[in-house]
Amino acid sequence: MIISIAQAKVTDVNAIFKIEQESFTSLWPKSLFINEIHSEGSFVLCAKASRKIIGYICAMFAYDEAHITNIAVRKAYRRAGVATSLIKAAIEYAEKNSIIQSIVLEVRVSNEAALALYEKSGFEIISLRPGYYSDGEDAYIMQRHLVRG
């Protein structure tokens, strides 16, 4: 399967939202994805296979770091390298911004698959955020230092 990664457009939001619906119980509204696409302080990347959106990643810039805020892949395409490709593309995008020194994210402590994916992508657990999720589950904060420029 050939995967291409591109910046999301507003016309991609319906496909992104379908992935959001099949991936999470607490959903971002479509308007938030639109805001992220238009914001100069954020970026949204889509993974496509055969011109069909199969995954996305959202991140924002804050001070000297990028923060991955959301990532999801269609169920039929999970464990096929799509999330790895999205994370790699987000890291490359962030590294091109010369003021960014690291990229961070939160992940459920129970999400072993995501933890393994992030560790494989060079992220390390730097702290615990107790009760971070709406259901009370804790989150690990993970960070990866970037190569600048």
Side-chain angles (χ1 to χ4, degrees), residues 13-30 33 56 70-75 78:
V13 169
N14 285 336
I16 290 169
F17 191 71
K18 286 181 183 176
I19 298 168
E20 178 83 357
Q21 288 176 307
E22 79 174 34
S23 301
F24 304 109
T25 54
S26 180
L27 306 178
W28 277 21
K30 287 182 184 180
F33 288 105
Y56 66 88
N70 205 345
I71 181 172
V73 174
R74 291 193 64 135
K75 287 182 182 178
R78 291 182 187 161

Side-chain angles (χ1 to χ4, degrees), residues 68-100:
I68 294 175
T69 54
N70 205 345
I71 181 172
V73 174
R74 291 193 64 135
K75 287 182 182 178
Y77 294 91
R78 291 182 187 161
R79 304 213 184 269
V82 178
T84 300
S85 294
L86 284 164
I87 291 169
K88 181 180 176 188
I91 289 167
E92 289 171 0
Y93 190 99
E95 284 177 337
K96 289 178 184 174
N97 185 327
S98 63
I99 64 166
I100 301 302

Side-chain angles (χ1 to χ4, degrees), residues 4-17:
S4 63
I5 308 290
Q7 284 197 304
K9 299 176 234 157
V10 172
T11 55
D12 298 328
V13 169
N14 285 336
I16 290 169
F17 191 71

